Amino acid sequence: MADALVLTVPIFSTLCNEAFKLRRAVFITEQKVPLEEEFDHDDLTAHHLVAIIGGEVCGTLRVITMDEHIKIGRVAVSVAARGHGIASLMISQAMKDHGATRGNRFYLTAQTDKVGLYERFGFKAYGDEFLDGGMPHLAMKTY
Ligand SMILES: CC(C)(COP(=O)(O)OP(=O)(O)OC[C@H]1O[C@@H](n2cnc3c(N)ncnc32)[C@H](O)[C@@H]1OP(=O)(O)O)[C@@H](O)C(=O)NCCC(=O)NCCS
């Protein structure tokens, strides 16, 4: 697979709209997350990243700056582009971009079967499993 380009995109831009389309396909259609839970006010102020291959958005995630830490979320890669390191590339870019802001304190909530993806970046799961969007999740942080 060709190298992916990872870009920051502003909300309401064409590329961000493509990213939202991808989130709809992945989370709402594929994973059956309720529509009302997928998009929220944090989308208005989040830092949105997209991965592009061959001119098409094939991955996205968002980064939210919180008081205590930086939260990474909504990590999605199109079915056709999975298994080629796209999510890893975006996570690594997000951590590079935001590491200085909260002293490398990153946080996320991971679908339990995806914990291994984030462990590679120094995240450790803590606390009890909980349901989000109907799927089991664990909180993870790097500190
Ligand atoms: C999870 C997801 C984002 C991974 O994207 P990707 O670009 O394929 O991930 P990468 O190629 O960077 O994978 C890196 C590592 O993450 C882990 N991983 C990736 N996809 C995984 C999956 N579906 N289940 C469990 N672990 C997974 C593996 O350890 C993988 O390493 P390997 O390639 O040596 O096996 C993608 O499958 C996806 O969009 N799934 C649907 C949405 C979703 O579940 N988002 C994450 C919510 S926490």
Side-chain angles (χ1 to χ4, degrees):
M1 184 164 287
D3 284 345
L5 182 67
V6 176
L7 297 177
T8 289
V9 294
I11 185 84
F12 301 130
S13 63
T14 305
L15 288 177
C16 195
N17 289 343
E18 287 300 311
F20 284 7
K21 212 187 281 177
L22 177 60
R23 276 170 49 180
R24 234 172 266 129
V26 169
F27 293 114
I28 299 171
T29 307
E30 180 185 341
Q31 296 195 325
K32 312 293 178 216
V33 172
L35 173 65
E36 60 277 15
E37 289 182 28
E38 175 51 26
F39 295 97
D40 59 25
H41 284 292
D42 284 332
D43 279 319
L44 298 174
T45 52
H47 172 207
H48 297 277
L49 288 185
V50 296
I52 298 182
I53 293 180
E56 300 216 348
V57 171
C58 62
T60 187
L61 61 70
R62 74 178 188 183
V63 181
I64 300 164
T65 301
M66 303 178 79
D67 288 344
E68 211 182 324
H69 43 223
I70 302 290
K71 181 177 182 184
I72 294 177
R74 304 300 198 270
V75 184
V77 173
S78 65
V79 173
R82 288 179 194 166
H84 296 280
I86 306 289
S88 302
L89 197 63
M90 295 190 298
I91 294 164
S92 133
Q93 185 67 49
M95 293 181 79
K96 217 181 287 170
D97 290 348
H98 293 274
T101 316
R102 291 286 180 271
N104 273 315
R105 290 194 305 277
F106 288 94
Y107 163 88
L108 53 79
T109 61
Q111 293 171 17
T112 303
D113 63 341
K114 313 287 164 47
V115 158
L117 167 61
Y118 304 109
E119 281 175 341
R120 293 179 162 202
F121 293 93
F123 285 86
K124 287 191 174 61
Y126 66 97
D128 294 333
E129 197 173 63
F130 58 94
L131 284 182
D132 188 16
M135 289 172 285
H137 277 72
L138 282 167
M140 301 185 82
K141 58 186 182 180
T142 56
Y143 61 97

